[in-house]
């Protein structure tokens, strides 16, 4: 009993953890730049963001020189001299004949100025060239919600992104937009890494310094933006971020965005019910609408905006291609006239109009029958399955012959956007299939019957099922028994099925042996009974 209770407790705990993780994962940021999290870092993507760790190029106005940096100094004039010297532990650079130069807390630009001033005091009328060689190494800690918290050794010109690339990466719950960097000098600043990943904002990809501690928080609060913006999705919440800021981060509004009514949905103070407020885009730009945790910005589309209205005419018309239509006005006849009419080779009998708009339908019965075998279907189910399988999806019923030859205006349908008008080449042949000596196509002749075409095709094959010949109609795909067909049309197919093959000799032989064996067993049993009764 105790073991049963223990198992139940463990089961409930596992289910609770699963439900928690499932619920939590549904509310995590999902923008594409989160490529540093997951099973492993996709180096082909993140390498585009990194500044190439080890590259010795630096921003002279930003890079702070320090212990271990090596300088190349060239002095040319009346006296030429070349020196390669290194900043010592006290932050001084020693230059022969010049002495030590204090470079503590100096940028590279400031350091060059100090070195040049010191050299000018000793050398007169000389040109001085100064460059960095062999940038020093620094040690920086990566802590918090990361895959492997540790201290990493990086070049002195490394930035935040370089540390993340060098490490084992972030986690699926890492907060990219609230990364805290604590420096040895007491400075503490929050950086939004997404601002750099998306827009290259270098202010959010700072240079790292010796002893920095980079702390990655775990996602706890989020905001959401959906609809007509370039990058809809869930984003980490940042205190004091405005709706305008988030729209800008999401790439701004698309051309189809409705600007007069942008909805902000937020929870009440108790976090139990949601309320909506509506703003124009101009209002959001001019007012500081501060976002709260779990807020959602919804940017809707302008209705019927840039809706293209084209139909496609294919096949044997004079000018095939796309044609503009006017909603609820343009007819099939209008478009055929614009397309220059039919060519001589066109088959009006086989021409079709296929419609994609409003024709998507779900047929649970057909889906069910597709999973069944024929033997499990009733005859009615099988007939429905065959009819549904032959149905041409989206085909609009229209008689081109009646419209364009007999001028029956009831067939002149109004076209819809996305319609495809297909006018194939006329088929002047009958297709011969199956157990026929010369299967293939035979030129259509109006007065010929099924038997005539079979004769022209060389007659039946030696295994033909002569009593079960079928005609497959070109237009409908319908299968009809040959003796019920009065006339054929171009493109029709005549199919002669194959007789079921005779049983193989070995199957007959083994079956015979089984029968003989069974008879022998019966005879033996009968004899045994007779003998037993006589005794």
């Amino acid at each position: 009993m105790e073991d049963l209770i223990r198992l139940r407790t463990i089961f409930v705990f596992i289910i609770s953890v699963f439900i928690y993780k499932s619920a939590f994962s549904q509310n995590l940021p999902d923008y594409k730049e989160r490529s540093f999290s997951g099973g492993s870092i996709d180096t082909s993507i993140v390498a585009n963001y990194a500044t190439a760790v080890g590259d010795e190029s630096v921003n002279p106005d930003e890079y702070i020189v320090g212990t271990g940096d090596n300088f190349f100094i060239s002095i040319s004039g009346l006296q030429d001299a070349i020196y390669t010297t290194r900043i010592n532990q006290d932050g001084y650079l020693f230059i022969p004949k010049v002495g030590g130069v204090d470079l503590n807390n100096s940028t590279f630009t400031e350091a060059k100025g100090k070195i040049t001033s010191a050299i000018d005091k000793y050398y007169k009328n000389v040109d001085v060239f100064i460059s960095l060689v062999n940038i020093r190494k620094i040690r920086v800690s990566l802590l918090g919600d990361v895959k492997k918290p540790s201290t990493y050794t990086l070049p002195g010109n490394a930035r935040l992104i370089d540390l993340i690339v060098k490490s084992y990466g972030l986690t699926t719950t890492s907060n990219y937009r609230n990364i805290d960097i604590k420096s040895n000098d007491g400075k503490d600043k929050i950086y939004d890494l997404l601002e750099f990943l998306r827009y290259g904002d270098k202010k959010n990809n700072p240079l790292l310094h010796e002893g920095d501690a980079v702390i990655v928080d775990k996602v706890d609060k989020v905001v959401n933006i959906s609809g007509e913006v370039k990058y809809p999705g869930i984003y980490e919440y940042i205190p004091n971020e405005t709706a305008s800021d988030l729209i800008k981060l999401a790439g701004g509004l698309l051309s189809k965005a409705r600007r007069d009514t942008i909805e902000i949905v937020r929870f009440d103070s108790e976090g139990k019910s949601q309320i909506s407020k509506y703003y124009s885009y101009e209002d959001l730009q001019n007012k500081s609408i501060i976002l709260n945790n779990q807020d959602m910005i919804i940017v809707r589309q302008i209705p019927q905006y840039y809706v293209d209205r084209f139909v496609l005419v294919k096949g044997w018309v004079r000018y095939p291609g796309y044609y503009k239509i006017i909603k609820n006005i343009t007819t099939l006849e209008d478009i055929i006239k614009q397309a220059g009419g039919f060519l001589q080779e066109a088959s009006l009998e086989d021409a079709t109009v296929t419609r994609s708009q409003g024709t998507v339908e779900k047929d649970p019965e057909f889906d069910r029958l597709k999973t069944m075998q024929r033997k499990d279907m009733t005859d009615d189910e099988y007939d429905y399955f065959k009819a549904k399988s032959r149905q041409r999806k989206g085909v609009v019923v229209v008689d081109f012959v009646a419209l364009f030859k007999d001028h029956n205006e009831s067939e002149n349908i109004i076209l819809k956007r996305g319609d495809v008008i297909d006018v194939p080449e006329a088929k002047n042949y009958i297709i011969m299939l199956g157990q026929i000596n010369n299967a293939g196509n035979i030129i259509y002749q109006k007065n010929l019957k099924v038997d005539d075409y079979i004769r022209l095709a060389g007659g039946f094959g030696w295994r033909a099922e002569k009593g079960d010949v079928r005609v497959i109609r070109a237009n409908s795909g319908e299968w009809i028994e040959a003796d019920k067909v009065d006339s054929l049309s171009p493109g029709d197919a005549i199919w002669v099925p194959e007789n079921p093959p005779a049983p193989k000799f070995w199957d007959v032989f083994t079956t015979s042996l089984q029968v003989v064996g069974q008879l022998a067993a019966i005879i033996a049993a009968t004899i045994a009974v007779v003998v037993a009764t006589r005794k």
Side-chain angles (χ1 to χ4, degrees):
M1 186 64 180
E2 292 180 357
D3 291 339
L4 181 60
I5 294 174
R6 187 179 298 109
L7 287 173
R8 286 179 177 175
T9 303
I10 294 173
F11 177 75
V12 170
F13 173 76
I14 292 173
I15 292 298
S16 300
V17 171
F18 174 78
I19 292 174
Y20 169 77
K21 287 186 175 181
S22 299
F24 189 72
S25 63
Q26 293 174 356
N27 205 29
L28 287 175
D30 57 359
Y31 47 85
K32 64 182 180 64
E33 285 84 359
R34 296 182 66 84
S35 54
F36 298 97
S37 55
S40 61
I41 294 181
D42 187 347
T43 55
S44 65
I45 296 177
V46 300
N48 295 329
Y49 295 121
T51 56
V53 178
D55 184 354
E56 295 187 356
S57 62
V58 298
N59 183 338
D61 296 324
E62 186 180 16
Y63 180 73
I64 305 294
V65 299
T67 300
D69 280 334
N70 282 270
F71 283 77
F72 172 82
I73 302 173
S74 172
I75 303 171
S76 58
L78 294 176
Q79 289 181 292
D80 293 342
I82 294 176
Y83 305 109
T84 300
T85 182
R86 180 172 178 268
I87 298 178
N88 65 21
Q89 296 293 333
D90 297 325
Y92 280 79
L93 184 72
F94 181 78
I95 304 172
K97 299 182 181 180
V98 175
V101 181
D102 184 0
L103 299 182
N104 281 290
N105 300 317
S106 299
T107 65
F108 182 43
T109 298
E110 294 170 341
K112 288 198 293 184
K114 293 179 180 180
I115 294 170
T116 300
S117 296
I119 292 174
D120 286 342
K121 292 178 181 179
Y122 184 85
Y123 295 93
K124 301 299 181 182
N125 300 320
V126 295
D127 294 322
V128 179
F129 174 79
I130 303 169
S131 67
L132 270 175
V133 292
N134 297 327
I135 295 175
R136 72 186 188 280
K137 300 293 184 180
I138 59 174
R139 288 176 60 81
V140 179
S141 298
L142 180 64
L143 308 171
D145 190 34
V146 296
K147 288 184 179 177
K148 187 175 180 180
S150 183
T151 298
Y152 296 88
T153 300
L154 300 169
N157 64 333
R159 295 180 178 272
L160 173 59
I161 194 68
D162 299 318
L163 172 63
I164 294 174
V165 172
K166 178 74 180 289
S167 73
Y168 287 78
L170 306 180
T171 71
T172 56
T173 58
S174 296
N175 192 326
Y176 282 41
R177 302 192 62 205
N178 292 274
I179 297 180
D180 187 10
I181 298 183
K182 300 181 184 294
S183 301
N184 282 337
D185 59 6
K187 292 181 180 179
D188 189 347
K189 190 173 180 180
I190 303 295
Y191 294 91
D192 184 348
L193 183 61
L194 179 58
E195 288 278 3
F196 168 72
L197 296 178
R198 181 163 292 176
Y199 297 116
D201 181 3
K202 292 185 178 180
K203 292 185 296 184
N204 284 288
N205 184 34
L207 276 171
L208 300 175
H209 303 96
E210 175 68 33
D212 280 354
V214 178
I215 303 172
V216 179
D217 199 3
K218 190 172 186 177
V219 175
D220 178 40
K221 299 178 180 180
V222 295
V223 289
N224 197 333
I225 183 167
S226 66
E228 299 301 308
V229 292
K230 290 182 181 178
Y231 307 112
I234 301 173
Y235 292 85
E236 298 92 331
Y237 166 79
I238 289 182
N240 298 318
E241 184 173 43
T242 67
S244 178
D245 294 334
L246 184 59
I247 291 174
K248 180 180 178 182
L249 182 68
L253 303 184
L254 296 176
S255 60
K256 294 184 178 181
R258 185 177 177 181
R259 293 170 172 259
D260 60 341
T261 308
I262 296 176
E263 183 179 5
I264 298 181
V265 182
R266 64 178 37 166
F267 284 90
D268 60 16
S269 57
E270 296 181 354
K272 294 183 178 180
S273 61
Q274 291 177 297
I275 57 175
S276 293
K277 291 187 177 181
Y278 299 88
Y279 304 89
S280 70
Y281 182 65
E282 289 69 25
D283 288 340
L284 296 179
Q285 295 294 307
N286 298 327
K287 300 177 183 178
S288 295
I289 309 298
I290 305 298
L291 295 176
N292 296 334
N293 177 35
Q294 297 296 332
D295 276 1
M296 173 178 274
I297 299 177
I298 303 174
V299 183
R300 293 185 171 83
Q301 186 179 19
I302 299 173
Q304 298 296 307
Y305 187 68
Y306 281 119
V307 177
D308 58 272
R309 301 191 186 281
F310 292 97
V311 296
L312 175 61
V313 183
K314 302 193 305 181
W316 294 82
V317 294
R318 189 170 299 278
Y319 307 114
Y322 285 94
Y323 289 86
K324 177 182 68 68
I325 64 171
I326 301 173
K327 184 178 180 180
N328 298 328
I329 294 179
T330 306
T331 66
L332 175 59
E333 195 172 33
D334 295 333
I335 290 300
I336 293 299
K337 287 180 180 178
Q338 292 183 45
F342 302 108
L343 297 178
Q344 185 177 357
E345 299 87 348
S347 172
L348 298 188
E349 292 82 1
D350 298 323
T352 58
V353 176
T354 305
R355 180 161 293 167
S356 58
Q357 297 295 322
T359 60
V360 178
E361 59 180 36
K362 186 72 174 175
D363 189 340
E365 178 65 9
F366 184 58
D367 292 339
R368 181 182 72 86
L369 294 176
K370 285 192 293 186
T371 64
M372 297 174 60
Q373 295 184 1
R374 169 64 184 97
K375 63 184 180 64
D376 298 325
M377 297 182 191
T378 66
D379 289 341
D380 287 342
E381 287 176 332
Y382 184 59
D383 289 341
Y384 178 78
F385 179 74
K386 288 193 297 181
K388 193 70 177 179
S389 300
R390 294 169 184 162
Q391 180 183 6
R392 292 177 292 177
K393 185 177 180 181
V395 173
V396 180
V397 178
V398 56
D399 189 335
F400 279 70
V401 174
L403 174 59
F404 292 99
K405 288 187 176 180
D406 301 334
H407 305 291
N408 184 352
E409 286 299 318
S410 65
E411 299 291 338
N412 193 18
I413 63 171
I414 294 176
L415 298 176
K416 292 187 176 182
R417 60 184 295 263
D419 283 355
V420 177
I421 303 165
D422 188 7
V423 183
E425 183 181 11
K427 298 174 183 176
N428 63 339
Y429 52 83
I430 297 295
I431 304 168
M432 309 300 295
L433 304 170
Q435 288 298 305
I436 298 176
N437 285 325
N438 296 307
N441 297 336
I442 297 179
I443 298 298
Y444 172 74
Q445 299 180 53
K446 185 176 181 180
N447 297 324
L448 296 185
K449 305 295 184 182
V450 172
D451 292 340
D452 297 324
Y453 283 105
I454 292 176
R455 178 177 51 78
L456 291 173
F460 293 107
W462 71 277
R463 290 174 59 187
E465 182 66 61
K466 299 178 182 179
D468 198 20
V469 178
R470 303 295 178 93
V471 172
I472 307 169
R473 291 298 190 188
N475 289 336
S476 64
E478 182 183 8
W479 289 49
I480 307 173
E481 294 178 9
D483 56 5
K484 295 181 180 179
V485 176
D486 295 328
S487 62
L488 295 168
S489 300
D492 286 349
I494 298 173
W495 178 65
V496 179
E498 179 182 358
N499 253 326
K504 296 179 180 179
F505 169 78
W506 180 251
D507 293 337
V508 175
F509 179 71
T510 53
T511 302
S512 300
L513 286 180
Q514 291 174 359
V515 172
V516 171
Q518 291 172 357
L519 288 173
I522 293 172
I523 293 170
T526 303
I527 293 173
V529 171
V530 171
V531 172
T533 54
R534 288 182 177 179
K535 291 181 178 180

